[in-house]
């Protein structure tokens, strides 16, 4: 072998040593300076072979405290529950777990495990990041979200109470008008009941006389009874009573129906709204609210209805009725002294219901 060949080999060896030393220095610098905790663990016996300062500091130990120790010192639960955790392999397994720090408290970390290959095949690199601050921030964020949700719920309940109180105030303003609207049909129903009572007394008298007539055997007695019957028929005008009974009953039924309708509209309006939406016919809503506020309208304006063929829509019935009622009352209050006209129209425009 020539001297030149020997020199080349020596230079190659020297270069290789320099590169190896450079790699070692670089590795050690990264190992020492990284903000990620790093442990080299033997797969054969679960012994900690090397540990960087960040890992030791995070766990509350010194580097010397951990070197040579069993890895269960910092992860007893993991080793106990998953004996294959350090069982070897080539893949990296990211996840979260709780390590045990030097004072025995749980330390939540984000970790990954990497199994070294070839001549380092019996080593596993365990890297981890302390996520206590992150979890604390998440807990604070969760608490803030819960508080915000509670505040939202309270705000909604407060809003519902305000809406309900405004509704009750509106009912209070309408009470006199509603009472007047009820008094009208109640008045003529009461009068009709008095009339019907008189008609019934007359009918009872005649029926009683006819019963006596059917039982009488003496002709003179029959004659007297017939005269009494004729006298009642002449005085009371039975033909008129029979004809008028139908009219009086019809009027009374209409009056009772009117009262029931007013009361039902009032109950429906006063009832607290649920969160649920339901089917509602807007034309029917207008009719119901007109009846509710008619005493407010009839002295100041006329009402013209221009209802279109509109579909039943899903909405909050009580809230829609409140809006319609407010519009009607506000319009009547805005009328000039001489009165005016409120025109109510409904239609479907571009696929939407228009009021």
């Amino acid at each position: 072998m020539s001297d030149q060949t020997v020199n080349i080999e020596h230079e190659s060896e020297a270069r290789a040593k320099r590169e190896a030393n450079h790699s070692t220095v670089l590795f050690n610098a990264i190992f020492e300076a990284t903000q990620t905790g790093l442990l080299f663990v033997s797969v054969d016996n679960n012994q900690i072979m090397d540990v960087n300062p960040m890992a030791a500091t995070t766990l509350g130990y010194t580097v010397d405290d951990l070197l040579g120790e069993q890895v269960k010192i910092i992860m007893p639960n993991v080793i106990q529950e998953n004996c294959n955790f350090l069982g070897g392999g080539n893949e990296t397994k990211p996840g979260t777990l709780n390590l045990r720090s030097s004072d025995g408290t749980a330390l939540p970390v984000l970790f990954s495990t990497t199994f070294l290959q070839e001549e380092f095949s019996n080593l596993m690199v365990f890297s981890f990041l302390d996520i206590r601050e992150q979890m604390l921030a998440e807990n604070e964020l969760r608490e803030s979200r819960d508080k915000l949700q509670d505040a939202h719920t309270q705000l909604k309940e407060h809003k519902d109470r305000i809406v309900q109180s405004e509704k009750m105030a509106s009912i209070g303003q309408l009470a006199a008008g509603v009472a007047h609207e009820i008094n009208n049909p109640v008045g003529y129903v009461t009068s009709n009941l008095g009339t019907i009572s008189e008609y019934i007394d007359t009918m009872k008298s005649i029926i009683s006389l006819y019963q006596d007539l059917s039982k009488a055997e003496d002709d003179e007695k029959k004659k007297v009874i017939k005269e009494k019957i004729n006298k009642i028929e002449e005085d009371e005008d039975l033909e008129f009573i029979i004809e008028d009974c139908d009219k009086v009953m019809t009027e009374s039924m209409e009056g009772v129906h009117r009262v029931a309708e007013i009361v039902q509209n009032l109950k429906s309006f006063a009832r607290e709204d649920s969160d649920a939406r339901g089917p509602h016919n807007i034309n029917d809503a207008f009719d119901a609210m007109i009846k509710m506020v008619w005493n407010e309208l009839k002295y100041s304006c006329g009402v013209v209805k221009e209802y279109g063929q509109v579909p039943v829509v899903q909405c909050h019935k009580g809230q829609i009725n409140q809006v319609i009622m407010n519009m009607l009352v506000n319009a009547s209050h805005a009328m000039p002294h001489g009165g005016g006209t409120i025109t109510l129209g409904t239609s479907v425009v571009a696929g939407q219901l228009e009021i």
Side-chain angles (χ1 to χ4, degrees), residues 66-84:
L66 294 175
L67 285 176
E69 291 289 340
Q70 291 290 303
V71 74
K72 67 181 180 181
I73 191 175
I74 63 169
M75 54 178 76
N77 295 333
V78 175
I79 299 302
Q80 181 178 355
E81 295 173 5
N82 187 357
C83 60
N84 294 322

Side-chain angles (χ1 to χ4, degrees), residues 96-113:
T96 59
L97 57 77
N98 286 330
L99 299 181
R100 186 170 67 181
S101 59
S102 60
D103 60 5
T105 59
L107 173 67
V109 298
L110 177 68
F111 79 96
S112 66
T113 58

